[in-house]
């Protein structure tokens, strides 16, 4: 087993345990809401955002309890974004992580509320992070910016507005950097903010790495929507074309999109060149981002 595979397996167990601990138990009222929140968060997903938090923490020597809280808060925001993304008024997708989407397993109102519950829980978890008050405020600021209308939510609005439209590469890049890149970037910046100022060279290098893989991640998601299968993805294949989404393959074609992921990967690796072998897990995640098949 490679060191990265071992790291991945260990950290998946660690994040699942942390999330299970933070989510209210199913027997606590309102039971159906808590059941829906747990259903859409636990035992599923690649946990790439959590991996990025732990890998950045490994590089910078951050204690595990703080990393558990940061990783949980970002995975909670991500789980909420997926529930809302699948709603009939958004992407209208019935399958997520190989199971019926939240609004199918429960109902639409429960899915909306489960998303709301996860988003607010994320910030509650961040307030319990073992760090100084100033560091906590920084983390809360970074995650709220990445999640909100200037970040993920804004990107989702752009995505919906662009359905059926023909847009430029610059516009699609902007959309992807917001809807997916912003939250992925926060995995690195929250941890880096515990050690550096935003103006420090190391912080800027790490942030640039994060921006490159955040964009590459969504380009690969677009490619897989065309080339993979519903069973491998655990979500409906071909949905982008069906909904007339603007994606990289729809504008550039598959080959050029694949080349772009490779360029972004190389740029991400270059951004890490001043770091020693402690950054290897980040290097491995960059490779995973563009070679993943689900
Ligand atoms: C899916 O994210 C939504 C995008 C931002 C592309 P992931 O591919 O990380 O989904 P999970 O968490 O592994 O299910
Ligand atoms: C979703 O992008 C980005 C989010 C913020 C959830 P997609 O709509 O392409 O994600 P999938 O393909 O449904 O996972
Ligand atoms: Mg979407
Ligand atoms: Mg979708
Ligand atoms: Mg997609």
């Amino acid at each position: 087993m490679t060191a990265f595979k071992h790291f991945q397996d260990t950290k998946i167990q660690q994040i699942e345990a942390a999330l299970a601990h933070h989510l209210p138990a199913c027997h606590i009222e309102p039971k159906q809401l808590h059941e829906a929140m747990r259903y859409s968060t636990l035992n599923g997903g690649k946990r790439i955002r959590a991996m990025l938090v732990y890998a950045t923490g490994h590089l910078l020597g951050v204690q595990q309890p703080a990393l558990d809280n940061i990783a949980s808060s970002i995975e909670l925001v991500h789980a909420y974004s997926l529930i809302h993304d699948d709603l009939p008024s958004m992407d209208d997708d019935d399958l997520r992580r190989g199971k019926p989407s939240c609004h199918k397993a429960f109902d639409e109102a429960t899915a909306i509320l489960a998303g709301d519950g996860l988003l607010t829980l994320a910030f509650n978890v961040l307030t319990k992070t073992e760090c100084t008050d100033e560091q906590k405020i920084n983390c809360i600021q970074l995650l709220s910016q990445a999640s909100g209308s200037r970040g993920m939510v804004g990107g989702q609005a752009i995505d919906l507005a662009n359905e059926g439209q023909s847009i430029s590469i610059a516009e699609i890049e902007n959309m992807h950097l917001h809807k997916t890149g912003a939250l992925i970037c926060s995995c690195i910046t929250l941890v880096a903010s515990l050690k550096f100022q935003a103006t420090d060279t190391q912080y800027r290098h790490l942030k640039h790495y994060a921006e490159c893989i955040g964009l590459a991640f969504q380009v690969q998601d677009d490619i897989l929507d065309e080339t993979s299968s519903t069973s491998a993805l655990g979500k409906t294949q071909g949905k982008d074309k069906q909904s007339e989404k603007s994606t990289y393959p729809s504008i550039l074609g598959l080959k050029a999109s694949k080349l772009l992921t490779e360029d972004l990967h190389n740029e991400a690796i270059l951004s890490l060149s001043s770091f020693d072998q402690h950054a290897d897990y980040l290097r491995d995640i960059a490779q995973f981002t563009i070679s993943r098949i689900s």
Side-chain angles (χ1 to χ4, degrees):
M1 191 190 279
T2 63
F4 179 58
K5 181 80 182 77
H6 178 71
F7 171 80
Q8 244 183 333
D9 291 351
T10 314
K11 295 305 169 191
I12 282 187
Q13 282 178 24
Q14 195 170 325
I15 186 64
E16 296 293 333
L19 287 167
H21 166 77
H22 289 302
L23 284 158
C26 290
H27 62 80
I28 295 172
E29 294 289 354
K31 288 180 190 160
Q32 182 174 269
L33 178 62
H34 291 141
E35 209 187 306
M37 287 165 68
R38 295 182 78 90
Y39 173 88
S40 292
T41 308
L42 298 174
N43 304 324
K46 296 174 288 295
R47 305 297 185 204
I48 190 175
R49 294 159 190 79
M51 286 315 134
L52 283 165
V53 168
Y54 291 120
T56 310
H58 176 78
L59 169 66
L60 303 179
V62 178
Q63 299 296 309
Q64 295 301 313
L67 297 177
D68 285 341
N69 281 44
I70 292 173
S72 297
S73 64
I74 298 171
E75 285 288 343
L76 288 166
V77 172
H78 172 57
Y80 129 72
S81 79
L82 296 180
I83 296 176
H84 283 196
D85 184 73
D86 290 336
L87 285 169
S89 52
M90 293 192 61
D91 287 355
D92 193 12
D93 230 314
D94 292 351
L95 193 68
R96 175 63 65 182
R97 293 175 170 171
K99 297 183 299 188
S101 303
C102 192
H103 66 274
K104 281 281 160 188
F106 299 86
D107 55 60
E108 233 179 284
T110 304
I112 293 169
L113 294 172
D116 296 341
L118 291 172
L119 174 61
T120 36
L121 177 61
F123 287 95
N124 188 285
V125 170
L126 260 193
T127 66
K128 295 178 185 151
T129 309
E130 284 180 31
C131 58
T132 66
D133 288 349
E134 194 187 339
Q135 288 173 325
K136 260 182 234 180
I137 290 170
N138 259 333
C139 283
I140 291 168
Q141 226 163 40
L142 285 167
L143 186 59
S144 60
Q145 274 162 8
S147 312
S149 63
R150 308 287 300 273
M152 184 273 290
V153 167
Q156 290 286 68
I158 298 171
D159 176 287
L160 294 174
N162 283 339
E163 275 184 14
Q165 308 286 317
S166 146
I167 61 170
S168 68
I169 287 295
E171 286 170 312
I172 195 170
E173 180 182 303
N174 178 56
M175 170 173 81
H176 281 19
L177 284 172
H178 284 84
K179 75 169 182 170
T180 300
L183 197 59
I184 288 190
C185 197
S186 77
C187 303
I188 285 99
T189 54
L190 263 75
V191 181
S193 76
L194 300 178
K195 295 282 175 180
F196 303 123
Q197 300 293 317
T199 47
D200 288 347
T201 310
Q202 291 105 316
Y203 184 98
R204 286 192 287 109
H205 285 160
L206 285 170
K207 192 173 174 194
H208 187 62
Y209 158 89
E211 285 162 353
C212 293
I213 65 155
L215 179 57
F217 190 86
Q218 184 62 45
V219 181
Q220 182 69 6
D221 184 83
D222 291 354
I223 292 173
L224 290 173
D225 188 86
E226 281 206 11
T227 60
S228 187
S229 64
T230 297
S231 61
L233 291 174
K235 56 187 186 186
T236 318
Q237 186 267 333
K239 202 74 183 54
D240 291 341
K241 204 165 254 175
Q242 202 183 311
S243 311
E244 297 182 49
K245 293 279 191 194
S246 301
T247 67
Y248 270 91
S250 76
I251 295 171
L252 283 184
L254 275 173
K255 202 164 161 211
S257 302
K258 193 69 228 160
L259 284 174
L260 175 64
T261 64
E262 282 157 21
D263 286 350
L264 288 165
H265 165 268
N266 294 341
E267 201 176 322
I269 296 297
L270 208 61
S271 296
L272 297 178
S273 45
S274 59
F275 297 102
D276 66 9
Q277 77 278 7
H278 287 94
D280 280 354
Y281 292 142
L282 288 176
R283 295 184 180 98
D284 292 329
I285 294 172
Q287 182 56 49
F288 173 78
T289 297
I290 66 157
S291 56
R292 68 197 176 89
I293 51 164
S294 68

